């Protein structure tokens, strides 16, 4: 059985489905993965109401989990690329990595640290088998 994989996403407000879908498609292909390998998508809670992210989750047939900035900030010690700039914008030092880790659980690790493509950031966290 494969380990659960969570894709963390960060994006600007108003990011459309098309760029999100294409960025995720390329990210997954670059890591020899398909959407079927993912357990779900995760982001900052205020992004989970974004039409682009809602459409992406629907297209990929994956759940979309949202976490508060306070909860994501708790993941800071586990981040590979914490950012003071992101903290100034969101109240947490990372969205993609932190959301992926928060969704994947306390024993999770980053399988792919944050990758940025334009206004979209992605990271992949994996829960090791117990």
């Amino acid at each position: 059985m494969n380990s659960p994989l969570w894709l963390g996403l960060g994006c600007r407000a108003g990011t459309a489905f098309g760029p999100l879908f294409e960025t995720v498609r390329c990210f997954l292909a670059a890591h020899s993965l398909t959407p079927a390998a993912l357990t779900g998508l995760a982001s900052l809670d205020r992004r989970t109401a974004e039409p682009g992210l809602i459409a992406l989750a629907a297209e990929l047939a994956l759940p979309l989990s949202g976490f508060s900035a306070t909860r994501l900030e708790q993941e800071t010690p586990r981040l590979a690329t914490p950012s003071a700039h992101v903290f100034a914008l969101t109240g947490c030092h990372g969205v993609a990595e932190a959301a992926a880790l928060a969704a994947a659980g306390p024993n999770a690790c980053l399988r792919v640290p944050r990758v940025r493509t334009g206004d979209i950031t992605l990271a992949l966290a994996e829960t090791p088998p117990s």
Side-chain angles (χ1 to χ4, degrees), residues 24-123:
V24 168
R25 187 190 67 73
C26 290
F27 175 87
L28 292 175
H31 298 285
S32 301
L33 296 169
T34 66
L38 299 176
T39 302
L41 309 176
S43 191
L44 185 62
D45 58 2
R46 62 182 179 243
R47 290 293 180 256
T48 59
E50 288 285 329
L53 274 180
I54 292 168
L56 177 66
E59 177 68 24
L60 300 178
L62 291 168
L64 175 59
S65 296
F67 298 92
S68 69
T70 301
R71 174 64 186 92
L72 294 183
E73 183 60 12
Q74 293 171 354
E75 297 295 338
T76 300
R78 300 197 300 160
L79 302 183
T81 60
S83 167
H85 176 71
V86 172
F87 181 81
L89 295 172
T90 65
C92 57
H93 280 88
V95 173
E97 289 180 352
L101 288 165
N107 297 321
C109 59
L110 287 172
R111 181 165 167 182
V112 179
R114 181 186 65 150
V115 173
R116 182 176 178 185
T117 303
D119 291 334
I120 301 167
T121 58
L122 303 140

